[in-house]
Amino acid sequence: MAEKGKGSLRNRGKGVAEPSSPRIDDTQDDEHVDVVYQNPNNRHQIELLLESQKGSLIVVSILTVLAFALRFYKINHPDQVVFDEVHFGKFTSHYLTRQYYFDVHPPFAKLLFALAGWFVGFDGDFTFDNIGDNYTVARVPYVGLRALPAILGSLTVPVVYAIMKESGYSTVIAAFSAAIILFDNAHVAQSRLILLDATLIFFMSLTIYSYIRFRKLRYREFTTEWWTWLVITGVLMACTWGSKVNGILTVFTIGAAVLIDLWDILDYKKEGHTMEYFMRHFYARAIGLILVPFVVYLSFFWIHFRILTQSGTGDNFMSPDFQETLAGNEMLLKSKEIHYYDTVTIRHYGTKVYLHSHVERYPLTYPDGRISSQGQQVTGYGHEDENNWWKVVPTKALPETGRGRIVRNEDVIQLLHVNTQSYLLTHDVASPLMPTNQEFTTWPKDDHSRYNDTLFQVMLLSNMPGEAWKTKSGHFRLIHVPTKVSMWTHAEPLPDWAFKQQEINGNKNPVERTATWYVDEIVAEAPEADREEEKQPVRVPKSMNFFRKFAELQLLMVQHNAGLTASHPYASAPINWPFLISGISFWTDNENKKQIYLIGNLIGWWSCAVALSIFVGILGADLLARRRGMDPIPDPVRNRLWNNTGFFLLVWAVHYLPFFLMNRQLFIHHYLPSHLASALIAGAVLNFVLSETINYPISYRGSKTKPKPFQFSDIGLKGPVILVGFCILLFLMFVFIAPLTYGTPGLTGEQVNSKRLLSSWTLHFAAKVSDGA
């Protein structure tokens, strides 16, 4: 019967009788069947056993047990800080000590680490300062911390299996995709350390699974079960997004799939639905996949802010208003209102240099022939010095005492350099290093001929009218009144004639973000100033609206993530990732010649790359054949390829292609989510190659859908044989690379060379190859 069914499929369109079951107008294309069904009882007994509920449970149990075994094997080695554990372990400590930190990634996965640390009794005293710091000596329960990603990484394997089963694939095909993740060295290595990727990939896979469950209920729309899986998908999307910044790609993936779904519902000719019906679906998805995820995502940050209430390493990244909400913060404890005639030191926020001047003058001409004003040099100096002292001079009448003498936002002032008794000035003369920017110099106090050129306006970043200018917290831009340039500096040093100090110049962009300064301290107070209002015994942290905090942190996360552009010896280009051209050195032990090198299982990764190529080729060939009036693929099989495997391709593409547009540091572990998607595609392609039929139907019947006769994927015995053989090859390759994955045992130089399967792998402790070899 199975062979008979196959023959019918191969001769579609040649007069072969088709089943008489009626076509259902209110169902989607993947529910239409025009093939002859094979009798399931004629399948081989092994195939029947594997497809039974008991057989499937046995297979997924074996896969799960093996996943836990491979990821927990020697998880206590090494007992040292490895790679980015130096960051994410440190953040765990900050949560447990409640000290504020800054990171480019959202907090959800790190909150889970903090919960795990609290559960195993970690007190947060160990600060993960350096790669190689010893956990055992410091008595850190690091195995408990590493257990969290190991558990999530292990559970990812049965989730991959479940994705394939829910998508209508057989036990063998589901196990095939799961085995690619199970025996992958890169996934195992990432899952055994205090890193975020295992959490990201676990929740990403759960999101895919839940969305498929939701789609299978499309004929039962607006039922309790339908709403449940819609909301679960939204919650899991938020967990994925909250685990790591690139988790937002999962949000984009589901968003793209939903847009395709809504576009299909909008098709009047296909379904005949009213606009009211369409809007119900639109609003439901807006609630479940926009509102719910956003609220959950917000909740992660609410918990984050509620825990981190103490001053910490992340203070300086935040605005002064934010910093004053943290107990023990320097701005909260030491900020003072600045009065006219106070003598202050002013520092640049970015480079921390002081605004400085000295008696030496600019040279008359520069090497490019430009001419200076030969005025007194104004520079940025990195050390405390009396030449950093400036007196704040008013340009308006002041009361003799009281709060009217406080300098406020948007006040126009003069800055008198104390040691040389000259006013800060800028004018339309090119600066020494940047011809497009204005030179800063000073002008004698008693010469009023250039009074206007010495006027500057204090513009506080808070932009609150009339707000008092304060030390530490009063970040400001200094805007020159006549020319509107903003006082600015940059890291390039001036020549020897300025003692290699930093150049101070006028940036023609008055709102330049990096032209930010603050008053470090008041070195001499104005004798007339009345400071009674500042004598407070205790300064309590200020409050700040949660949404202001959230918005500020989100902007900083985006800016700093984009700013990670420095070169790195193990950075790699996205084009190399699917082929494992290079990996990442996580850890080395020079004495025992041990190392952890992040690299994937070559057999699994290259199989996925081939499967991707085959799938794209299948789609292209199908389009071409249909353009020429041929119909080589049965409709159910075609719809499964386009709708289900096409969804996997969408997951792969959205998690991979955007990296080609990024200028930041990129590493091979950024490909792991796409690798999981390619494993799903590999299973689907294998099913297409082995069988001309699919398991059908898989969606749940609704009240208006009629029953359809079942069709089964007839992969026969060749499927289990291929699965077993493929798993053996995967396992052998896994074991071969395992010393680089687990960091043990140590390898000789010759053994290291043997593990370098590609010449581009930069392994440590390799033996030199002689020219005669």
Side-chain angles (χ1 to χ4, degrees), residues 408-608:
R408 300 187 180 277
N409 185 31
E410 300 184 355
D411 277 5
V412 176
I413 65 170
Q414 291 177 295
L415 288 176
L416 177 67
H417 188 245
V418 175
N419 280 3
T420 60
Q421 289 295 291
S422 55
Y423 286 117
L424 184 69
L425 173 146
T426 185
H427 49 183
D428 191 17
V429 175
S431 68
L433 299 180
M434 303 182 71
T436 58
N437 290 16
Q438 287 187 186
E439 174 193 88
F440 263 69
T441 182
T442 65
W443 194 253
K445 175 184 177 182
D446 297 327
D447 186 343
H448 303 289
S449 62
R450 301 194 63 182
Y451 173 79
N452 286 340
D453 288 334
T454 65
L455 302 181
F456 292 88
Q457 187 174 35
V458 176
M459 301 296 293
L460 298 182
L461 298 192
S462 61
N463 202 29
M464 298 290 290
E467 181 181 359
W469 190 20
K470 295 181 180 180
T471 63
K472 307 292 184 184
S473 63
H475 291 194
F476 69 98
R477 297 187 185 97
L478 194 65
I479 308 299
H480 189 232
V481 173
T483 63
K484 303 304 180 185
V485 300
S486 183
M487 185 171 73
W488 183 68
T489 186
H490 56 97
E492 183 180 354
L494 290 162
D496 290 338
W497 51 256
F499 314 104
K500 296 191 178 298
Q501 296 173 14
Q502 282 185 205
E503 177 186 50
I504 302 291
N505 63 40
N507 192 306
K508 294 183 179 179
N509 178 12
V511 292
E512 167 60 40
R513 184 176 60 86
T514 58
T516 302
W517 302 78
Y518 65 95
V519 174
D520 188 53
E521 63 176 332
I522 299 173
V523 295
E525 296 180 352
E528 303 89 350
D530 180 2
R531 302 180 186 268
E532 289 298 321
E533 71 280 357
E534 292 189 79
K535 296 179 180 178
Q536 301 175 5
V538 178
R539 294 199 178 188
V540 297
K542 298 181 179 179
S543 61
M544 184 176 179
N545 181 273
F546 165 74
F547 291 100
R548 279 188 62 196
K549 284 185 174 183
F550 174 78
E552 179 179 330
L553 183 54
Q554 292 296 301
L555 179 61
L556 286 170
M557 287 165 56
V558 171
Q559 290 173 345
H560 283 268
N561 188 59
L564 297 174
T565 57
S567 61
H568 192 284
Y570 293 101
S572 55
I575 191 65
N576 299 325
W577 297 343
F579 311 104
L580 290 177
I581 302 302
S582 62
I584 308 171
S585 178
F586 272 11
W587 170 84
T588 58
D589 179 353
N590 296 332
E591 182 178 350
N592 299 303
K593 298 191 182 306
K594 297 178 180 180
Q595 61 182 306
I596 296 177
Y597 188 76
L598 180 75
I599 202 70
N601 189 312
L602 270 176
I603 292 176
W605 285 56
W606 286 6
S607 296
C608 289

Side-chain angles (χ1 to χ4, degrees), residues 666-688:
L666 297 173
F667 302 92
I668 192 172
H669 62 73
H670 288 122
Y671 186 72
L672 292 179
S674 287
H675 176 255
L676 183 142
S678 69
L680 301 175
I681 295 171
V685 169
L686 178 63
N687 185 86
F688 180 84

